[in-house]
Amino acid sequence: MAHARTRKPSVLIIGTGFGGIGMAIKLRQAGFTDLTLLEKAGGVGGTWRDNTYPPGAACDVQSHLYSYSFEPKHDWSRKFGAQPEILEYMEACVRKYQLEPHIQFNQAVTSATFDDHSNQWRVVTETGDTFSADVLITATGQLNRPAMPNIPGGLETFRGGACFHSARWQHHTELRNKRVAVIGTGASAIQFVPEITPLVGQLELYQRSAAWVLPKPDRPFHQFEQALFKKLPLWDRLYRGGLIYWKNESRALAFTRFSWILDLFAHQARKEARRWVTDPDKLHHLIPDYRIGCKRILISNDWYRAVNQPPHVNLLTDGIARIDETGIVSETGEHRPADIIIFGTGFRASEFLSPIHIAGREGLTLNDAWTNGSKAFKGISVSGFPPNLFMLYGPNTNLAHNSILFMLESQYRYVLSALDALSRYPPGAAMDVREDRQSRYCQVVQRGLEGSVWDAGCSSWYLDEHGRNTVNWPGFTFSYRFATRSVDTADYQFLDPVNA
Ligand code: NAP
């Protein structure tokens, strides 16, 4: 304690999506100057850079809340911002807070190793470059690695025009008058399918499970509303923090405790489907057979209309047996030719940091530590091996009811508080969360998830291969904020470097 640091620790952040950008802003504001952000792509934005599918890519959380509280944008063009506007906002934040000099683009991290002697992280990227830092913060998101289904035949067999995932949209591929097969009917597909149906010659929509889809209460903001938000920042704050936040927050109880409330929404979704879908067979298949909320509830105003379109949109539910050179063969043996196959099959959300080889104390890797499922203290720190590693949007911090930016901002505060605690120790010190604290915390989280609607028996990306929900936070976002308000140093052990 006597030899507290005279300099702030150096910090390395992996990723420049919402997590990384906001963390970097907060670190700069707190006086951290030795700051590097490694970005695997050539631009910032994370999922909002990658998901550019034809107009339609948009957020299902209201823009005023899906933006930093410390950087309000008063002139959102509509209630639910579309991808280009969200990406523009993120780029504007990077410019305003002068983060560019700290960012190294096209540096995909392959490994991060903690050196027990120096208590420093050594990070290696695909280009072979290495970086060192006292503290490593991962901001790699949960939705950045496309999940490609393991369908026999696979992509290699298909000899048609093109075959791509929705998060890697090939904009040069002409869809006009083509026979297009779409696999998956999740959050991405319900956004791009309505956009492409007017163009394509034939659309074969392969649905494994139906989605619960509610109307999207979206509309453009009038100029006077934007002016009011700008002139009266207090009103902007009230709108964000008072109206939208609490409206969204009230839904937490429905997901975790009183799932009967969700039945009211199921009724609304059924009504909406019946309103637009005239084909009884399609209507039957579009109504899910699992509890509403078990998978993410989707919002759209044009999904049912798009699927209903006879005769060129086919809804296929008989399962995919294989992909061959010219199309898709269903489990009933029917071959349907396709010129283009689009995968709307989602992301590998529960694998977290797995493509990055992270080795902590005594060479233990994160994959070793997580063989029985990913666990983290407050979703941020992992005990036992990587001291001075902080994860943003880690295990059990995802939401089904509110804005993930609220969770991220809680995490920024917690990380800053941890770095503040660390700076009271001699240079080179490292902090490692205690195993018993982490176990107790994870037990409480898992207990909180028991009986939640995500436990209702459907398969979803919230559950890992062991059927454990490692993705969602089981309650209110304000309770997470309270839990992460500051670091309790008793939760951590502080380690001197071996050579100190
Ligand atoms: P998703 O919700 O996981 O949907 C994937 C779809 O692909 C599901 O319909 C799934 O069926 C299907 N699928 C997967 N493997 C398949 C296979 N082998 N054969 C047939 N179908 C298969 O993925 P996503 O639509 O890309 O969305 C992922 C998440 O990204 C969302 O939940 C959301 O959090 C986020 N997102 C958000 C927005 C937004 O508006 N903010 C927009 C897009 C995405 P099953 O249901 O049967 O597994």
Side-chain angles (χ1 to χ4, degrees):
M1 278 283 191
H3 308 286
R5 287 170 193 267
T6 49
R7 68 167 178 88
K8 297 242 182 220
S10 54
V11 181
L12 200 147
I13 299 176
I14 309 177
T16 61
F18 264 115
I21 293 173
M23 186 75 250
I25 293 171
K26 287 286 154 192
L27 283 165
R28 290 239 12 213
Q29 288 175 338
F32 288 79
T33 48
D34 193 346
L35 175 65
T36 308
L37 292 99
L38 299 181
E39 171 52 57
K40 68 176 180 197
V44 301
T47 196
W48 296 105
R49 174 201 60 228
D50 291 342
N51 286 275
T52 59
Y53 46 79
C59 189
D60 56 8
V61 175
Q62 302 87 334
S63 302
H64 279 80
L65 200 58
Y66 197 79
S67 44
Y68 300 120
S69 63
F70 52 84
E71 188 53 43
K73 173 174 154 67
H74 307 294
D75 60 350
W76 286 107
S77 63
R78 49 190 316 120
K79 287 194 161 186
F80 292 81
Q83 176 265 340
E85 195 174 10
I86 297 170
L87 182 60
E88 237 170 69
Y89 167 79
M90 296 170 86
E91 289 168 344
C93 289
V94 169
R95 279 193 302 275
K96 176 170 172 185
Y97 293 93
Q98 299 170 6
L99 298 183
E100 288 106 330
H102 297 278
I103 305 176
Q104 303 256 355
F105 290 107
N106 303 309
Q107 293 282 15
V109 173
T110 52
S111 71
T113 310
F114 185 74
D115 181 333
D116 292 329
H117 284 265
S118 63
N119 275 355
Q120 276 230 320
W121 281 97
R122 187 167 172 272
V123 174
V124 181
T125 65
E126 250 168 32
T127 57
D129 290 334
T130 59
F131 300 82
S132 308
D134 299 318
V135 172
L136 181 65
I137 300 176
T138 61
T140 48
Q142 292 188 5
L143 305 173
N144 71 88
R145 301 174 58 225
M148 294 301 275
N150 204 4
I151 298 173
L155 313 186
E156 317 78 50
T157 327
F158 185 60
R159 297 275 167 268
C163 188
F164 55 85
H165 189 276
S166 58
R168 302 286 180 271
W169 197 272
Q170 292 181 7
H171 289 276
H172 58 269
T173 298
E174 180 58 81
L175 299 179
R176 207 166 289 278
N177 302 323
K178 293 283 173 25
R179 289 171 304 188
V180 176
V182 170
I183 302 178
T185 51
S188 301
I190 70 146
Q191 292 190 337
F192 69 75
V193 163
E195 298 296 329
I196 65 172
T197 40
L199 305 176
V200 301
Q202 178 69 31
L203 185 75
E204 311 286 10
L205 196 49
Y206 289 87
Q207 173 183 278
R208 190 165 64 180
S209 331
W212 284 105
V213 185
L214 291 171
K216 185 174 185 178
D218 191 20
R219 66 164 177 83
F221 279 117
H222 299 291
Q223 265 179 5
F224 78 86
E225 288 175 294
Q226 293 170 330
L228 216 60
F229 285 133
K230 193 163 178 222
K231 284 231 156 46
L232 299 173
L234 190 66
W235 162 233
D236 192 303
R237 278 219 293 283
L238 237 163
Y239 180 75
R240 173 198 164 96
L243 295 180
I244 317 175
Y245 174 78
W246 286 107
K247 187 172 149 221
N248 292 358
E249 196 65 351
S250 63
R251 300 185 207 145
L253 281 174
F255 283 97
T256 54
R257 290 284 164 272
F258 308 117
S259 53
W260 57 267
I261 298 174
L262 291 171
D263 294 339
L264 304 173
F265 292 109
H267 175 73
Q268 189 187 10
R270 281 196 203 96
K271 204 168 129 198
E272 196 64 12
R274 282 197 291 268
R275 177 174 169 206
W276 296 109
V277 184
T278 50
D279 176 333
D281 193 45
K282 279 185 181 168
L283 179 62
H284 171 70
H285 285 112
L286 282 169
I287 306 281
D289 55 7
Y290 58 87
R291 185 112 220 223
I292 186 169
C294 186
K295 292 172 193 264
R296 192 174 171 96
I297 298 174
L298 310 182
I299 52 174
S300 169
N301 294 328
D302 43 16
W303 166 246
Y304 289 128
R305 254 182 292 181
V307 183
N308 186 47
Q309 284 175 54
H312 83 302
V313 180
N314 253 338
L315 182 66
L316 304 161
T317 56
D318 45 9
I320 298 173
R322 62 177 196 279
I323 294 175
D324 70 10
E325 293 193 352
T326 54
I328 295 179
V329 182
S330 73
E331 276 171 3
T332 54
E334 204 169 330
H335 178 269
R336 291 190 187 86
D339 301 315
I340 292 155
I341 302 177
I342 305 174
F343 290 88
T345 43
F347 301 89
R348 295 156 76 171
S350 61
E351 292 175 24
F352 295 99
L353 296 160
S354 58
I356 304 176
H357 179 89
I358 297 196
R361 280 164 77 190
E362 290 149 22
L364 189 69
T365 69
L366 194 57
N367 286 341
D368 294 333
W370 281 354
T371 41
N372 293 322
S374 31
K375 292 183 180 128
F377 182 65
K378 313 217 170 181
I380 299 174
S381 306
V382 184
S383 168
F385 69 101
N388 290 359
L389 172 81
F390 300 99
M391 257 177 279
L392 301 179
Y393 198 12
N396 295 108
T397 60
N398 182 60
L399 302 174
H401 72 284
N402 215 335
S403 173
I404 194 61
L405 290 222
F406 188 89
M407 300 295 269
L408 285 172
E409 289 192 24
S410 306
Q411 294 169 357
Y412 302 156
R413 199 166 57 161
Y414 185 82
V415 173
L416 286 174
S417 160
L419 298 188
D420 185 45
L422 190 62
S423 67
R424 280 180 252 133
Y425 284 78
M431 57 194 291
D432 189 8
V433 67
R434 292 179 189 278
E435 219 292 313
D436 57 327
R437 301 291 172 119
Q438 176 177 298
S439 289
R440 214 176 315 145
Y441 172 84
C442 291
Q443 276 166 16
V444 172
V445 168
Q446 288 303 320
R447 262 206 306 278
L449 286 162
E450 278 166 21
S452 71
V453 69
W454 307 305
D455 221 4
C458 71
S459 72
S460 78
W461 58 269
Y462 299 146
L463 308 179
D464 67 10
E465 80 233 51
H466 312 288
R468 194 166 155 268
N469 189 335
T470 53
V471 171
N472 284 353
W473 170 248
F476 293 110
T477 61
F478 60 79
S479 51
Y480 183 74
R481 179 148 295 185
F482 184 73
T484 52
R485 67 199 177 283
S486 68
V487 161
D488 178 352
T489 49
D491 292 334
Y492 287 81
Q493 51 176 328
F494 288 81
L495 313 158
D496 284 334
V498 171
N499 298 328

